[in-house]
Amino acid sequence: MPKPLPGPLYPISHCPNPQGWDHVAFSDCLIRCGIRFFQVRDKTLPDGHLYRQLVKIRFLCREAGACFVVNDRVDLALAVEADGVHLGQDDLPAAAARRLLGEGAVIGLSTHNWDQFRRGLEEPVHYLALGPVFPTHTKEDAAPVLGLELLRRASRSTDLPLVAIGGISVEKAPGAWQSGARSVAVISDVAGAESPERRIQAYLERSRVRVRAT
């Protein structure tokens, strides 16, 4: 069976949010909107609370035929039988995560410059994220903005799916897709929207327009 991979829109759950949703409610929204691959990210919730939410998300995904990965936490991904994990540069190395999670797990890796991207090509991962492509306020310690040109260069250097990260909005997403990104990873522009459902549909419609144009 082919590995599940991010679609044109790769949402990342975030709490708190204007709706007051926890990760379970946020994930349910994503699934109802047709998203079949997303990431659960939380840097502050106690492990026990996050574990219980992840178990419920696993159930929702299996019922809907959707997939989810856990940000950073290989231990929690393993404990709840998530579909995989998304790693940062300071997390457990991808090779170690692969040994723990097995060949069936999806592993993604964030990269923030050309050298990290080139090293990432040697790792046992299914996709690479590159950014920030645009200025972002989601991370206070964000790396320098890379721009679309580096994204284009990276897309010409690999057959691995490339995910654009950092400062993505509905207006900027087409530029990332056109520059070779398979997907755009979005946190605040969906989680912070007054209507996440309408924002998701706006992204999906723009991705369909892109497909028709090509």
Side-chain angles (χ1 to χ4, degrees), residues 126-194:
H126 292 103
Y127 69 89
L128 287 171
L130 181 64
V133 177
F134 305 109
T136 177
H137 301 292
T138 300
K139 294 181 67 175
E140 294 181 0
D141 58 345
V145 174
L146 302 181
L148 293 174
E149 182 53 42
L150 190 62
L151 188 63
R152 282 190 285 268
R153 181 184 176 193
S155 72
R156 294 192 294 264
S157 303
T158 181
D159 292 327
L160 278 178
L162 193 59
V163 178
I165 58 175
I168 305 295
S169 66
V170 170
E171 295 76 20
K172 294 175 180 176
W177 291 320
Q178 292 161 11
S179 297
R182 171 195 174 98
S183 182
V184 293
V186 180
I187 301 178
S188 58
D189 198 50
V190 169
E194 182 177 342

